[in-house]
Amino acid sequence: GERERGSLDLLLSLPITRLELLLGKYLGLAAALTLSTLVGFGLVAVLLYQHVSWSGLYHYIGFMISSVLLGLAFLSMAVLMSVIARDRTRASGLAIAMWFFFVLVFDLLLGVLVATGGSFGGDAFAWLLLLNPADVFRILNVFSLDEVRTLYGLASIVPSSLGSPAIMGGVMVAWIVLPLALARWRFK
């Protein structure tokens, strides 16, 4: 939208680099997204504090942090889409297509796995899930609770070593950094 309105030319004429502009936009949006997510979940945490143990609250805080990371990953991809697109209409179309792919189409892999009785993909399937930030979020939160891990189907596919919070957190950070790096390269 800034390109169409001409405000991008004005911003680029200021004594800041393109990287500073891109990071400033991203960090401003990221701060708003993070603050609103933490406040929303935090209010519920205050209510839960009276009814759950510290262990439950610890896992809830982990869920809050992983939700923020998922939001930042999709925000990073949205910034990349906005740099690639020439106008608002294309950017909106790319954003919808990106959401459709990651949330609906990519999960068809799970359907193929179920339809083939787990024989399709084998060990490679768990690694394919890392190519989707929504699935990384799912793995991160499923593997954080032992009770849920045994009830959820991903536990039979994803090795427990891959379900470690540190590894999955690192993958989520990569989903934040890599699209931003591509956006920086394209915006240059």
Side-chain angles (χ1 to χ4, degrees), residues 36-166:
S36 61
T37 302
L38 291 178
V39 166
F41 280 122
L43 291 175
V44 173
V46 169
L47 296 174
L48 283 177
Y49 173 71
Q50 300 169 1
H51 302 287
V52 297
S53 66
W54 277 105
S55 172
L57 200 56
Y58 171 78
H59 289 293
Y60 184 76
I61 291 170
F63 176 73
M64 286 172 52
I65 293 168
S66 66
S67 297
V68 167
L69 289 174
L70 180 65
L72 294 178
F74 274 100
L75 178 62
S76 182
M77 288 186 285
V79 168
L80 175 61
M81 295 298 117
S82 71
V83 168
I84 291 172
R86 295 273 179 220
D87 55 34
R88 265 188 297 185
T89 306
R90 287 189 185 133
S92 297
L94 282 172
I96 291 169
M98 179 185 62
W99 174 85
F100 189 77
F101 174 76
F102 283 117
V103 175
L104 298 175
V105 174
F106 201 90
D107 281 345
L108 289 176
L109 284 174
L110 293 174
V112 169
L113 185 70
V114 170
T116 62
S119 63
F120 177 78
D123 294 336
F125 184 78
W127 295 99
L128 286 174
L129 293 176
L130 300 181
L131 298 176
N132 183 352
D135 284 331
V136 174
F137 172 80
R138 188 176 299 142
I139 292 168
L140 183 59
N141 288 293
V142 164
F143 279 82
S144 68
L145 291 170
D146 289 331
E147 301 85 22
V148 178
R149 184 182 318 158
T150 57
L151 297 174
Y152 200 69
L154 278 178
S156 62
I157 300 162
V158 178
S160 60
S161 62
L162 191 61
S164 121

